[in-house]
Amino acid sequence: MKKLICIIITLIMTLSLFPVNAAADDTVYKLQVIDGKAKILNPPANPDSLYSWSGDSNSGNLILSSGYKFSLIIDQNLDLIVNGGTIADAHFSAKVGKIQNNSIISGGDFTGLLILDNDGTISGGTNFGSSSTIMISNKGTITNGDFGNRAQIHNSGTVSGGTFEGTFTNDAYGKIEGSPVFNRTSETHSNIIEVVNYGTINGGTFNYIVGNYGTVSGGTYECSFTNYETGNITAVHCQFEGKYPFWECDGFVIKDSLLTVGARSGLWYSRNCEIYDTIIDAPKTFRRMDGIKLKNVQIPGGTETFWDCRNIVVEDSVIDRADYVFMHCENVKLTNVKLNGNYSFQYAKNVEIRNCVLNSKDSFWEAENVTVIDSVINGEYLAWYSKNLRLVRCHITETQPLCYCDDLVLEDCTMGADADLAFEYSSVQATVKGHVPSIKNPRTGFIRYGSVGEIIIDENIKGPGDCRLEKA
């Protein structure tokens, strides 16, 4: 027992030699810098253990002891280097030219600060550039803070939180992730938020202007988003709400994202685009593009989508409200697509469609070199004035289909009860399984059918007028 008591006494005496960490009582020590000197205004018994200071009325080097919290009170103009400790609060009665932070800033009012170089951590603080211009270079980490609309930030570190109202440049080594908000909320000054990205964006909410030269793999974009990079762009888990996000890009991928109605005209003049598991609710998407691949994409507002595009592949997708879709397109392949919209594929060339449902009147007008296999086509006035249209095992409904066609081919197709007055003035080679409601004035070729309701051959037939009509 005596031996145990001696050990406890020795341990207590040994611990008494170490200063008590201020963090234990959460004391914030007020450290004032004035007239080239630094002092603690609410000192403990041994204030010299809290910091060391070397400097004059122009500049200083302040080393704060690790584990302690400080409120900086700056009453002179100077440039300041801060190492160690945590700046939990700050008050400037004079303009501070520069702070080099190699430690932690967790709070404070930074009105009057002109330059902040951060190699440490900023986890709080207000009025960074709210009333005067501040230049901020971040090589460390920003997790929180209020950065006003006069803050000009250059980031080569990591930003995972905070509110930003000024200009922000994310360089090649910079990362934006988590939930920072880039938004102009103050109307006091005329400049608007502009984020220029050369690095990586994995998260955040962005308003106003974003210019991208780097990699985007997350975030919500309630803004004008413009890609200036010519290739290697990836956008994953993103939401685009501003106009023109992907113009004149070459080589980019969009996955599991949303383009809202506000992102109208979002993809124009670009090349080599791949989109997966995404909703495109923006009208007038895809214009004058070359190389488009879509898989499992929903386009609920597809009006005037895919105009003057080439080399298109769409699989396992739905396109709704899509009047005038695929106009003047070339080299198009659709597989397992449901399309709802009139006037589709007008003037299109080199089209291949498999296992699709097309609810579209006036589809394939003046189209050339089209093959449709194992599909359903619902819509009146199908494929008028088309050339080299081939339908294989397709079901066709509604009035006056396949008129004025050149080199039309049907193989084992079926026709609905309302598909009357078919084949007028067409050159055709057709095998139709089952019943054809009516045939009118085919120009040449042959039509084989299971049965026919009415055959109309009158004085208006066009030459050569030698189409053979045969019961199969």
Side-chain angles (χ1 to χ4, degrees):
M1 179 63 71
K2 290 182 179 180
K3 185 176 181 181
L4 178 60
I5 293 173
C6 290
I7 292 172
I8 293 173
I9 293 172
T10 302
L11 180 60
I12 293 172
M13 293 177 65
T14 302
L15 291 173
S16 68
L17 298 175
F18 295 91
V20 177
N21 194 322
D25 61 9
D26 208 30
T27 302
V28 178
Y29 289 98
K30 298 179 181 179
L31 194 156
Q32 183 184 43
V33 178
I34 187 171
D35 297 331
K37 298 178 181 179
K39 62 179 179 179
I40 298 290
L41 300 182
N42 57 333
N46 184 15
D48 292 339
S49 66
L50 296 177
Y51 72 97
S52 66
W53 163 262
S54 60
D56 53 30
S57 59
N58 295 314
S59 62
N61 190 347
L62 182 63
I63 300 176
L64 304 175
S65 296
S66 179
Y68 293 90
K69 295 180 180 179
F70 297 87
S71 173
L72 290 187
I73 303 170
I74 309 297
D75 291 327
Q76 68 173 68
N77 297 331
L78 85 164
D79 295 340
L80 183 64
I81 299 174
V82 181
N83 293 283
T86 298
I87 300 174
D89 198 3
H91 301 278
F92 304 146
S93 62
K95 282 188 177 292
V96 178
K98 178 180 179 180
I99 289 181
Q100 169 69 53
N101 177 51
N102 302 318
S103 184
I104 299 172
I105 296 175
S106 65
D109 184 340
F110 291 86
T111 302
L113 180 60
L114 301 180
I115 298 174
L116 174 59
D117 287 347
N118 180 53
D119 288 339
T121 299
I122 299 174
S123 59
T126 62
N127 294 322
F128 293 98
S130 61
S131 60
S132 60
T133 299
I134 181 173
M135 308 290 291
I136 299 175
S137 175
N138 178 52
K139 297 178 182 177
T141 301
I142 298 175
T143 63
N144 206 350
D146 180 10
F147 300 84
N149 61 2
R150 291 191 174 184
Q152 300 177 19
I153 301 173
H154 185 97
N155 178 53
S156 55
T158 300
V159 173
S160 61
T163 301
F164 302 85
E165 299 180 19
T167 58
F168 190 103
T169 300
N170 193 44
D171 78 8
Y173 299 99
K175 293 182 180 179
I176 301 173
E177 59 189 26
S179 55
V181 176
F182 298 83
N183 181 28
R184 180 171 68 98
T185 59
S186 171
E187 300 297 333
T188 311
H189 303 286
S190 60
N191 62 308
I192 62 174
I193 178 65
E194 181 177 359
V195 177
V196 181
N197 177 49
Y198 297 92
T200 301
I201 299 177
N202 294 322
T205 299
F206 300 83
N207 292 312
Y208 287 85
I209 300 171
V210 175
N212 180 52
Y213 297 83
T215 298
V216 175
S217 57
T220 298
Y221 300 86
E222 302 166 353
C223 62
S224 173
F225 182 99
T226 304
N227 272 301
Y228 298 101
E229 179 57 58
T230 58
N232 301 319
I233 300 168
T234 301
V236 183
H237 308 305
C238 294
Q239 181 169 318
F240 299 97
E241 300 189 4
K243 293 185 290 186
Y244 321 136
F246 292 92
W247 277 39
E248 300 192 60
C249 301
D250 189 352
F252 61 97
V253 178
I254 302 173
K255 296 182 179 179
D256 194 18
S257 295
L258 170 64
L259 281 78
T260 69
V261 174
R264 62 186 298 113
S265 308
L267 292 84
W268 286 28
Y269 313 114
S270 294
R271 295 161 297 283
N272 303 317
C273 157
E274 297 182 20
I275 303 179
Y276 303 96
D277 307 315
T278 290
I279 298 174
I280 302 174
D281 201 14
K284 300 185 179 182
T285 306
F286 306 111
R287 294 283 181 93
R288 299 186 182 181
M289 292 182 58
D290 188 351
I292 303 168
K293 182 177 181 180
L294 274 62
K295 186 175 178 66
N296 194 27
V297 172
Q298 310 296 311
I299 307 180
T303 300
E304 299 181 16
T305 294
F306 296 106
W307 279 18
D308 298 292
C309 296
R310 298 184 298 170
N311 302 315
I312 304 165
V313 176
V314 183
E315 300 175 352
D316 306 327
S317 298
V318 177
I319 308 173
D320 278 321
R321 304 199 314 271
D323 288 356
Y324 299 102
V325 68
F326 295 107
M327 182 178 284
H328 289 290
C329 286
E330 296 184 16
N331 307 327
V332 181
K333 291 186 178 181
L334 270 62
T335 304
N336 193 28
V337 173
K338 184 176 181 180
L339 187 156
N340 298 311
N342 297 321
Y343 324 114
S344 60
F345 298 98
Q346 291 194 356
Y347 316 106
K349 295 181 179 179
N350 307 323
V351 178
E352 181 181 315
I353 297 173
R354 293 177 179 268
N355 299 307
C356 293
V357 176
L358 310 180
N359 298 315
S360 179
K361 76 173 184 179
D362 293 357
S363 59
F364 301 107
W365 273 45
E366 300 193 52
E368 296 184 26
N369 303 325
V370 176
T371 299
V372 184
I373 300 173
D374 296 323
S375 297
V376 176
I377 308 174
N378 300 314
E380 58 196 20
Y381 317 127
L382 168 64
W384 284 23
Y385 308 104
S386 63
K387 295 181 180 179
N388 299 320
L389 170 64
R390 178 173 173 248
L391 307 178
V392 181
R393 297 184 300 276
C394 291
H395 183 66
I396 300 159
T397 70
E398 300 197 32
T399 190
Q400 293 181 260
L402 306 170
C403 299
Y404 310 97
C405 301
D406 286 336
D407 301 320
L408 170 66
V409 175
L410 276 70
E411 301 176 18
D412 297 329
C413 292
T414 58
M415 305 186 79
D418 55 356
D420 60 342
L421 303 175
F423 306 115
E424 185 174 16
Y425 302 148
S426 292
S427 62
V428 54
Q429 298 182 18
T431 301
V432 180
K433 298 175 66 175
H435 187 70
V436 179
S438 62
I439 298 172
K440 182 178 180 180
N441 289 338
R443 185 159 49 88
T444 189
F446 67 84
I447 301 171
R448 297 190 180 101
Y449 47 82
S451 62
V452 62
E454 182 181 12
I455 296 174
I456 303 169
I457 304 294
D458 60 25
E459 69 278 6
N460 296 312
I461 192 170
K462 295 184 180 297
D466 58 359
C467 185
R468 303 191 311 276
L469 305 179
E470 305 170 352
K471 183 177 175 62

